[in-house]
Amino acid sequence: MNNTLSVIKKFIKKETVFTIAIILGIISCIIVPPTSDFFSYIDFRVLSILFCLMLLVAGLKEQWIFRRLAEKLTAHVKGSMGLELILVLLPFFSSMLITNDVALITFVPFALALLKGAGLEGRIIRVVVLQTIAANLGSMLTPIGNPQNLYLYTLSEMGFGTFLLTMLPLTIVSLVLLLIIVFTGKKTPIEVKFEKADVNISKFKLTIIAILFIISMGTVIRLIPWQISLIIVFISGLIWFRNLFKDIDYFLLGTFIGFFVFVGNMQKLPAINSFINNMVNGHELVGSTIISQVISNVPAAMLLSGFTDNYVALLKGVDIGGLGTLIASMASLISYKFYAVTPNSKKGKYILTFTMWNLLFLAVLLMLELIIM
């Protein structure tokens, strides 16, 4: 019995957002019994695209493409500033295609090993925090950069080009801020040392992944029906990437389903609908930013999207809202966990540094957006 409770507690701690989403979905179904339109709550297109992208990104990780890219870029760096610049820009730009969480899973461990090898242990907190901010901000630019972007992009039926142009100013400002911080850091001569990954890259598999990625992007820009891309990617996965199905974050997909059901049911309750509408309408940008600090930006996007049609303000709000607290973006917890298990880690100093830098970026971006609006 004690072992069972221990397993349950461990699971809830690890998958807290998923657990909350499922509980809310179940409670909402008790309050509003399912009807014939129950399945219309669930956006299968979003779930399909997420599934396909997660499988393909897992394929790229298996081929160590991004690790090898990082090795080549850092191999001839002679100064700490140049190294820091590369380590920060890698997650910034890669997150636009492989999502913010995958960018951090890929580049934070690499940064930890590299900084230790270069004798720059004192720069680890600064670099990892900036990597986290970079991944969360770089992912703003594209619909596939993070889950909330994909969800709101699909819901709003915004054009791909329109989406890019909408998020481009915030992304450019974010990049400028990151560059200013990096270039005002200390300069130290270094010698980069790392263990090269001994991995055989399969050109055939990379070609298949590239083709499947193009097909998936065809669905993202609404040229290919999601059913077709899902079938093609799924069957291709069974043939060439069967071992990668275990790497898909099924709990993220389950989290989406739970919130789809919860929001759908809440919209049927006049009192709740009216209350959230009055609270959100006209305050989408600031409201979503604040709510993201408490429940993180993906749930905030899904919850508030059911009560407003100002998707642009909501999109910017939840993306800016990914800054701030450690839980504002679930991707931020990835970096923290990597750092926390390193020898002699200073968790308190990390959280303080993380919060200070994040609040600075949040304040600047939010003020700029409010002035522009």
Side-chain angles (χ1 to χ4, degrees):
M1 182 67 177
N2 288 334
N3 287 337
T4 302
L5 288 174
S6 178
V7 171
I8 293 174
K9 288 180 180 178
K10 190 174 181 180
F11 175 81
I12 293 175
K13 186 177 180 180
K14 182 180 179 182
E15 301 294 346
T16 305
V17 178
F18 166 78
T19 304
I20 293 172
I22 295 302
I23 292 173
L24 288 175
I26 293 172
I27 292 175
S28 70
C29 285
I30 295 173
I31 299 173
V32 182
T35 57
S36 58
D37 64 344
F38 177 79
F39 288 102
S40 67
Y41 298 161
I42 302 172
D43 193 327
F44 290 101
R45 183 176 183 275
V46 169
L47 296 177
S48 169
I49 295 172
L50 272 176
F51 175 87
C52 292
L53 291 176
M54 284 191 286
L55 183 64
L56 297 177
V57 169
L60 291 174
K61 283 179 62 183
E62 184 188 48
Q63 298 295 313
W64 287 66
I65 292 299
F66 305 109
R67 172 62 180 264
R68 291 203 170 204
L69 171 63
E71 289 178 355
K72 287 185 177 181
L73 288 174
T74 57
H76 303 292
V77 173
K78 300 300 180 182
S80 58
M81 182 178 292
L83 179 61
E84 185 175 311
L85 179 65
I86 292 173
L87 291 177
V88 171
L89 292 185
L90 277 169
F92 181 83
F93 288 107
S94 65
S95 65
M96 299 173 184
L97 294 176
I98 64 174
T99 72
N100 52 351
D101 55 346
V102 174
L104 293 173
I105 289 171
T106 302
F107 295 116
V108 169
F110 178 74
L112 290 171
L114 210 57
L115 291 169
K116 288 180 182 178
L120 295 173
E121 288 88 349
R123 306 286 282 271
I124 285 179
I125 290 179
R126 169 185 167 89
V127 171
V128 173
V129 167
L130 289 178
Q131 282 187 311
T132 307
I133 293 173
N136 284 329
L137 292 178
S139 65
M140 290 193 302
L141 181 63
T142 66
I144 61 174
N146 53 56
Q148 70 269 14
N149 276 18
L150 179 59
Y151 170 67
L152 292 174
Y153 167 75
T154 301
L155 183 66
S156 65
E157 297 185 352
M158 193 183 303
F160 188 80
T162 301
F163 188 100
L164 295 180
L165 290 175
T166 298
M167 301 307 296
L168 185 60
L170 278 175
T171 307
I172 292 175
V173 172
S174 301
L175 177 59
V176 171
L177 290 174
L178 286 168
L179 292 176
I180 290 173
I181 291 173
V182 170
F183 286 131
T184 53
K186 295 180 181 179
K187 299 179 181 180
T188 307
I190 59 168
E191 182 180 352
V192 176
K193 298 178 182 178
F194 52 77
E195 295 181 5
K196 292 188 177 182
D198 186 17
V199 179
N200 293 321
I201 293 178
S202 170
K203 292 183 179 180
F204 173 76
K205 284 189 175 182
L206 281 178
T207 302
I208 296 298
I209 291 171
I211 293 171
L212 294 177
F213 187 80
I214 292 171
I215 292 172
S216 297
M217 286 303 297
T219 299
V220 171
I221 63 177
R222 300 184 179 90
L223 291 178
I224 300 174
W226 66 264
Q227 297 92 336
I228 293 177
S229 63
L230 177 61
I231 291 172
I232 293 174
V233 172
F234 184 79
I235 293 176
S236 299
L238 289 177
I239 296 173
W240 293 295
F241 310 105
R242 191 174 302 176
N243 63 311
L244 298 180
F245 280 93
K246 69 180 185 305
D247 296 327
I248 292 174
D249 189 350
Y250 296 103
F251 294 112
L252 176 60
L253 298 176
T255 299
F256 268 76
I257 293 173
F259 278 113
F260 280 142
V261 172
F262 174 72
V263 173
N265 284 328
M266 290 301 97
Q267 286 179 310
K268 289 189 173 182
L269 297 175
I272 298 294
N273 199 326
S274 177
F275 173 76
I276 299 181
N277 263 316
N278 292 333
M279 182 178 65
V280 173
N281 279 324
H283 310 284
E284 289 86 357
L285 179 69
V286 176
S288 58
T289 300
I290 294 172
I291 292 174
S292 294
Q293 304 307 304
V294 182
I295 65 174
S296 87
N297 52 6
V298 175
M302 300 186 69
L303 174 63
L304 300 181
S305 65
F307 303 94
T308 180
D309 56 3
N310 189 351
Y311 297 121
V312 170
L314 182 58
L315 171 67
K316 292 180 178 180
V318 292
D319 276 347
I320 293 173
L323 302 164
T325 64
L326 194 59
I327 63 169
S329 169
M330 290 293 106
S332 299
L333 291 173
I334 294 172
S335 301
Y336 174 71
K337 289 176 182 177
F338 278 128
Y339 172 75
V341 298
T342 58
N344 304 315
S345 62
K346 300 175 182 178
K347 302 180 184 67
K349 183 178 179 181
Y350 179 95
I351 292 174
L352 179 62
T353 304
F354 175 91
T355 304
M356 289 175 58
W357 280 117
N358 269 264
L359 289 178
L360 173 63
F361 274 83
L362 186 151
V364 172
L365 293 178
L366 188 58
M367 283 193 294
L368 286 175
E369 189 59 37
L370 287 172
I371 291 171
I372 292 172
M373 290 177 66

